[in-house]
Amino acid sequence: MPELPDITVYTERLADKVQGRALQRVKVLHPFLLRTAQPPLPQAEGRRVVGIERLGKRVVLALDNGLFLVIHLMIAGRLRWLPPGGKPPGKISLAVFEFDSGTLVLTEAGTQRRASLHVVADRAALQAMDPGGIDVLTADLATFSERLLHENHTLKRQLTDPRLFSGIGNAYSDEILHRAQLSPILLSKAMQPAQVAQLFDATRAVLTEWTERLRAEAGDWPEKVTAFHPQMAVHGRFGQPCPVCGTPVQRIVHADNETNYCARCQTGGKLLADRALSRLLKASWPKNVDELP
């Protein structure tokens, strides 16, 4: 799922393309996509775009009649920009937003249709869609600490909770925790103040660095938005060497999510139980990274 760095770059490039321009026509190609009936979508046509915003992991187009178009990409949704006259890709296109400067196309790979489009009437309705997570890049340490310690859950769960923190998902939470050298299963209320500050600094640093990197790589438009990058330290790098200590990166698999971590850097060498594999191996499950074959 595109997270804060990806959505930030999308909004910046989209603002370059359509800020101040009229949205000539919107075509929804799959009926499941549009999740609202009022206001009707045709009210957005012919209106000028007065702003592009990020709402958590959503892209928001603000129109001059007070309406907002809210695009949630979910896991496999992506945005493409086509020059005037460009043809949207076939089966994966869900909607097209036509401007005189080009066409914005919302696509979604795979068969699970999770991406969504909402039309909301005003700023109050838009704010009602906000889960409430803070923007760590503008928050101070005290605010970060209050959110982190509000409930007692694992750090992985806390960082990815949109009610607590805005725009952080599976990929960047792995990178943040590796940078902070903290276990993904450490309970938030077991943290020392120094660890909270360490996590705060790591969160800001990772999100800033990756936003800058993706911004530089995007050029005119971000064409390859993915949760997996070869420059990442641990996310998506199971079995590959940690860039800090060289220990093979480990993982915890649960449902559709995978947590990647370095046992030596983050858990004192302890291997965290994988719900599927550790139960299968039982007594044969290695407890320490040094026991790995």
Side-chain angles (χ1 to χ4, degrees):
M1 178 183 294
E3 300 176 29
L4 185 150
D6 311 280
I7 299 299
T8 297
V9 176
Y10 266 145
T11 58
E12 291 173 351
R13 293 299 185 268
L14 190 55
D16 292 340
K17 301 287 187 185
V18 306
Q19 185 89 20
R21 295 183 179 273
L23 175 57
Q24 297 176 332
R25 185 165 61 152
V26 183
K27 293 191 293 185
V28 173
L29 305 178
H30 287 268
F32 77 89
L33 179 72
L34 184 60
R35 306 297 173 88
T36 52
Q38 295 293 332
L41 182 58
Q43 288 188 8
E45 295 182 336
R47 311 310 308 192
R48 186 168 53 87
V49 176
V50 295
I52 305 293
E53 306 175 17
R54 179 182 70 83
L55 181 68
K57 298 174 188 175
R58 300 170 174 88
V59 175
V60 180
L61 284 73
L63 305 179
D64 64 359
N65 61 348
L67 296 184
F68 295 89
L69 302 182
V70 184
I71 300 171
H72 199 336
L73 299 173
M74 295 301 290
I75 294 175
R78 297 295 183 268
L79 296 175
R80 301 190 184 190
W81 181 258
L82 303 178
K87 183 178 180 181
K91 295 182 179 180
I92 64 172
S93 293
L94 304 183
V96 294
F97 305 81
E98 297 178 358
F99 299 86
D100 60 359
S101 55
T103 300
L104 177 68
V105 183
L106 170 58
T107 67
E108 187 174 27
T111 58
Q112 292 184 323
R113 298 306 184 198
R114 297 178 176 175
S116 64
L117 171 65
H118 290 75
V119 183
V120 297
D122 50 34
R123 176 67 64 177
L126 179 67
Q127 291 175 343
M129 298 184 68
D130 188 350
I134 62 170
D135 184 345
V136 177
L137 297 180
T138 59
D140 58 18
L141 175 58
T143 303
F144 178 85
S145 179
E146 186 277 329
R147 288 300 180 98
L148 184 69
L149 304 180
H150 179 67
E151 297 176 350
N152 191 32
H153 295 297
T154 66
L155 295 188
K156 176 77 173 188
R157 176 172 168 178
Q158 294 291 80
L159 285 176
T160 57
D161 188 338
R163 300 171 304 157
L164 303 179
F165 303 108
S166 175
I168 303 174
N170 197 44
Y172 289 103
S173 60
D174 282 352
E175 295 300 291
I176 289 165
L177 290 168
H178 179 265
R179 179 73 63 91
Q181 297 188 322
L182 293 171
S183 169
I185 66 167
L186 176 64
L187 292 175
S188 53
K189 289 194 176 181
M191 298 179 73
Q192 299 299 315
Q195 292 177 307
V196 174
Q198 193 173 317
L199 183 60
F200 174 68
D201 291 341
T203 303
R204 290 167 63 91
V206 167
L207 295 178
T208 298
E209 290 171 15
W210 274 99
T211 300
E212 292 174 351
R213 176 177 284 157
L214 297 181
R215 187 181 284 139
E217 292 176 355
D220 184 65
W221 187 264
E223 298 290 349
K224 297 181 179 180
V225 175
T226 176
F228 305 100
H229 297 272
Q231 306 97 324
M232 284 184 162
V234 290
H235 183 72
R237 302 188 70 247
F238 173 63
Q240 300 181 52
C242 166
V244 174
C245 69
T247 302
V249 170
Q250 300 302 308
R251 67 182 175 188
I252 310 168
V253 179
H254 176 55
D256 292 334
N257 291 324
E258 179 176 311
T259 296
N260 297 119
Y261 68 99
C262 172
R264 202 170 300 282
C265 290
Q266 296 175 249
T267 63
K270 180 182 178 181
L271 293 179
L272 305 178
D274 181 297
R275 294 193 178 191
L277 192 56
S278 60
R279 287 176 181 174
L280 176 66
L281 296 179
K282 296 183 179 178
S284 299
W285 174 255
K287 301 299 190 294
N288 191 282
V289 68
D290 294 323
E291 298 175 18
L292 290 172

